[in-house]
Amino acid sequence: MLLPVVSLPAFAQTQPQVISNTATAEWDVGTQTLSKTSNTVQFTVENAPPPPPVLALLRFSNATGASSANLPSTICTGTAGPRPVEFDGVFSGLSTTPASLLPATAIRAGEPLVIQVDTITKNIDPGVIDTFDVMIVTPNGDREQITLTESAANSGSFLGYINTKAAPPAAVAGDCALSVSPGDTVNVELDDSTTGNSVGTVEVDILVDPFGLTFDSGNGAPVDGTTVTIVDNSTGLPAQVFGDDGVSSFPSTIVTGTTVTDGNGTIYPFISGFYRFPFLRQGTYRLVITPPGPYTFPSVATPAELATLTRPDGGEFIIAPGSYGGTITLFDPAPVRIDIPLDRPGGALTLTKLTSTATAMPGDVVQYRISVGNPDRTRSSGPITVSDQLPNAMRLRINSVRYQNVSVIPTVA
């Protein structure tokens, strides 16, 4: 006897289905073929709704913990028509097969953004790689349409990527570059263009990259007029720097407290003491610092001594080997902060010596006080050594020396 086999759809409909089935048996008796039809059986298939799509944002990164994935080529459909998404500037030559990716909780304006949507409803044919379009919407009014492509046949995971750029300037919908606002938390909304339904919303923090602060090592005050040059440590030559869009040239030498204009005409105003190099390729760099007079570099202040100071915004200074002219290794698009301490010579100290009597006889005890003063109350003088050479006719009484009323044992030469 033959048993009928019923195949259900790979992805069930959201409405219940009624399936009817009648079996037929056939057999031969001599030269005669006989058949018998069974009764008809009906049953209802109740199909649960498919799970909702899962949206994730990813960024290119070679940091520890990054995952590897092959990204399909992405098509952006803008005002100029469909075109492949290509990487320029600092991201030119970026590998997509494979790509090294991390979840994008934060990016810098100008770096590509990878979009992943896991959904079974768009896995139309399990035997082929499916695609579908999404519309990316940001709060500043930008709308960019790209095609997401299934990572493999029947995977249900769809990937694509798009370039980003800083806003301002104002967003231009359909230019195939997603405008994001530095310093803001942006909701990136994806709309399924075939149905108009929202796929999901993910928050990604768009970072401004104040690369660091040049500051007075005595009091933490910003120092304007410091010339900062970033050089490639392997060649000793000025590094190639890109602006916020990741494409425009940016000066490798800047002066703190001034403004800088990149190759695209974008103006970057620097607040007091700050320097910034928005984008560089991965590599090892160092900072060449020329401070304004009377400051000197590198500082002789230790990280422990600088830890007592705070930045103007109330945060702690970030002190690293690069703060003293050491190397800086950039292996990830995440911002790197290196604050630069500068030493300023202190003002003249005051030194006075007073005795308890103007005249003394042999054997008398004479008390005297040495006072050191720092007229500049805004900065520490650092360690001070006081030397006092007594006349030959005098002897220092043991255990009689005090510093701020605390007994001390002096060093006797």
Side-chain angles (χ1 to χ4, degrees):
M1 181 175 65
L2 300 177
L3 295 178
V5 178
V6 179
S7 297
L8 298 180
F11 296 104
Q13 304 298 317
T14 57
Q15 298 296 325
Q17 288 184 290
V18 177
I19 296 179
S20 298
N21 186 257
T22 303
T24 301
E26 293 184 352
W27 65 96
D28 294 332
V29 178
T31 59
Q32 185 179 10
T33 299
L34 303 178
S35 66
K36 183 66 175 180
T37 302
S38 73
N39 58 301
T40 299
V41 175
Q42 291 185 338
F43 56 93
T44 301
V45 178
E46 296 284 352
N47 295 314
V54 176
L55 169 65
L57 301 181
L58 307 169
R59 56 192 289 264
F60 293 89
S61 174
N62 290 325
T64 303
S67 60
S68 180
N70 290 325
L71 295 180
S73 178
T74 298
I75 299 297
C76 175
T77 302
T79 54
R83 62 180 182 182
V85 177
E86 298 178 343
F87 303 136
D88 295 319
V90 70
F91 295 104
S92 60
L94 191 65
S95 174
T96 58
T97 53
S100 183
L101 303 173
L102 277 177
T105 57
I107 65 168
R108 289 190 295 175
E111 69 174 290
L113 188 62
V114 179
I115 297 150
Q116 176 178 331
V117 177
D118 294 338
T119 174
I120 64 172
T121 59
K122 292 300 181 181
N123 186 12
I124 306 301
D125 187 340
V128 301
I129 294 177
D130 294 302
T131 64
F132 71 100
D133 292 338
V134 295
M135 186 72 72
I136 311 173
V137 183
T138 58
N140 58 34
D142 200 2
R143 298 176 64 85
E144 305 296 337
Q145 179 178 316
I146 64 172
T147 300
L148 300 187
T149 303
E150 201 170 12
S151 61
N154 204 33
S155 72
S157 183
F158 296 81
L159 295 162
Y161 45 85
I162 190 168
N163 290 311
T164 67
K165 64 180 180 179
V172 178
D175 66 351
C176 292
L178 188 67
S179 291
V180 291
S181 300
D184 292 340
T185 298
V186 176
N187 294 329
V188 181
E189 205 175 88
L190 286 83
D191 290 336
D192 182 347
S193 61
T194 61
T195 64
N197 296 326
S198 176
V199 175
T201 299
V202 172
E203 291 187 357
V204 57
D205 192 25
I206 307 303
L207 299 175
V208 177
D209 186 11
F211 206 69
L213 180 74
T214 60
F215 67 97
D216 189 313
S217 63
N219 57 18
V223 178
D224 284 336
T226 304
T227 300
V228 183
T229 300
I230 188 163
V231 300
D232 188 324
N233 192 60
S234 63
T235 64
L237 300 176
Q240 184 179 23
V241 186
F242 299 87
D244 275 334
D245 59 5
V247 177
S248 302
S249 61
F250 190 92
S252 58
T253 297
I254 64 96
V255 178
T256 60
T258 64
T259 60
V260 173
T261 303
D262 69 14
N264 192 42
T266 301
I267 297 175
Y268 301 74
F270 290 157
I271 63 174
S272 183
F274 273 90
Y275 70 94
R276 181 184 177 212
F277 299 105
F279 280 101
L280 294 100
R281 290 189 172 90
Q282 296 178 9
T284 302
Y285 302 88
R286 59 185 176 87
L287 297 174
V288 177
I289 307 296
T290 304
Y295 286 95
T296 59
F297 175 85
S299 172
V300 298
T302 66
E305 292 169 339
L306 299 172
T308 62
L309 304 175
T310 56
R311 299 197 309 253
D313 61 5
E316 297 180 356
F317 287 106
I318 305 301
I319 305 300
S323 302
Y324 299 96
T327 58
I328 303 168
T329 301
L330 303 180
F331 64 89
D332 191 88
V336 175
R337 182 175 188 125
I338 305 290
D339 292 320
I340 309 296
L342 304 174
D343 293 344
R344 176 168 67 88
L349 302 179
T350 62
L351 179 63
T352 59
K353 185 174 182 179
L354 300 174
T355 64
S356 59
T357 180
T359 61
M361 298 295 290
D364 287 351
V365 174
V366 177
Q367 296 181 348
Y368 69 95
R369 179 189 301 272
I370 298 175
S371 299
V372 181
N374 179 11
D376 189 349
R377 296 182 178 275
T378 64
R379 56 189 290 111
S380 171
S381 65
I384 297 174
T385 300
V386 177
S387 299
D388 185 26
Q389 182 66 46
L390 296 178
N392 292 332
M394 299 184 66
R395 298 290 185 269
L396 180 66
R397 176 171 287 185
I398 302 301
N399 298 327
S400 68
V401 179
R402 291 178 175 273
Y403 171 69
Q404 294 184 347
N405 292 324
V406 177
S407 178
V408 297
I409 301 176
T411 300
V412 179

